[in-house]
Amino acid sequence: MADSKRAPWTAPEPSYPQTGLQVYNSLTKSKVAFVPRAGNHVSWYGCGPTVYDAAHMGHASTYVAFDVIRRIMEDYLGYDMTVVMNITDIDDKIIVRARHKRLVAEYRARTPRLNAQAVDDVGAALREYVDKHFGAMAQARIGRRVASGTDWAAFAAAVDQGRDAEFAASDEKAPMRFTAASAAQAALDTATAQLGAADDAGSADAAA
């Protein structure tokens, strides 16, 4: 029904000899001849990086792919290319990340050593993160929200350590968030064990 309401698409008339390059037309859902608006000149705008953290391989693959396509179109097919890419240096992600880094630095300055309060604070933050992203799934799989390390272990087992197909399909970022939460829970467990060992050692020294 929706397709019948679309305006018909008419292929543009080329004003320059065609190269045989085709592109996918999302309106017709088919490949069509690539016809520049102005003869042989191609204007291409590409969305560039938002520089709120360190670069990673995903950035590299994206912009290398863009550059390879540009070089093929320019050097092999002979198009006159004008390519523009923006770099976003101020937006919500950058502001949030800058605030996060400042708050973490301030907390670490106030808490230079591992202690019970730090473990409690990190545990509360982790529970909030898990509840935000996996609360409904945890309720469905284990019958409760994740409120402890034991609950997390039960949830992780229920979703096959993040490999469960339904879980992975629930959100494209679910596997990444699961990995982050798992690493945080493992660090929290280690910190809790270290505090327990320190308390035991202190009690032994006191008894001696």
Side-chain angles (χ1 to χ4, degrees):
M1 182 64 71
D3 289 343
S4 64
K5 295 181 179 180
R6 287 178 174 171
W9 180 80
T10 302
E13 289 293 332
S15 59
Y16 194 86
Q18 294 300 285
T19 63
L21 178 63
Q22 292 188 318
V23 294
Y24 180 76
N25 186 328
S26 59
L27 186 62
T28 64
K29 293 182 170 55
S30 63
K31 291 181 180 180
V32 299
F34 176 71
V35 180
R37 287 184 176 181
N40 195 44
H41 183 259
V42 176
S43 298
W44 181 1
Y45 172 81
C47 184
T50 300
V51 289
Y52 64 92
D53 207 337
H56 54 70
M57 288 301 295
H59 297 135
S61 65
T62 299
Y63 306 121
V64 167
F66 281 163
D67 192 55
V68 168
I69 295 171
R70 178 192 66 81
R71 288 170 183 266
I72 291 172
M73 292 179 69
E74 193 169 58
D75 299 338
Y76 181 70
L77 297 176
Y79 289 109
D80 176 22
M81 304 288 294
T82 298
V83 180
V84 176
M85 179 178 291
N86 73 301
I87 297 178
T88 304
D89 58 355
I90 294 294
D91 82 340
D92 290 346
K93 284 184 178 179
I94 296 170
I95 294 169
V96 168
R97 183 56 58 91
R99 176 172 172 77
H100 171 261
K101 288 185 175 181
R102 181 178 68 82
L103 292 174
V104 169
E106 289 177 353
Y107 187 88
R108 294 186 69 173
R110 294 195 308 269
T111 315
R113 297 183 184 83
L114 179 64
N115 58 36
Q117 185 60 54
V119 170
D120 289 345
D121 290 343
V122 172
L126 178 58
R127 299 288 84 80
E128 183 177 344
Y129 178 86
V130 169
D131 193 60
K132 176 181 178 181
H133 296 296
F134 305 130
M137 179 71 74
Q139 190 70 47
R141 291 299 183 91
I142 64 173
R144 61 186 184 277
R145 300 278 179 159
V146 175
S148 66
T150 301
D151 289 344
W152 175 256
F155 175 67
V159 297
D160 192 21
Q161 305 303 319
R163 295 185 293 267
D164 179 81
E166 180 186 355
F167 172 77
S170 65
D171 187 309
E172 63 179 6
K173 293 185 177 180
M176 178 188 72
R177 288 169 174 156
F178 180 87
T179 299
S182 292
Q185 184 61 59
L188 196 61
D189 292 342
T190 299
T192 301
Q194 289 176 348
L195 278 180
D199 289 344
D200 290 344
S203 298
D205 290 341

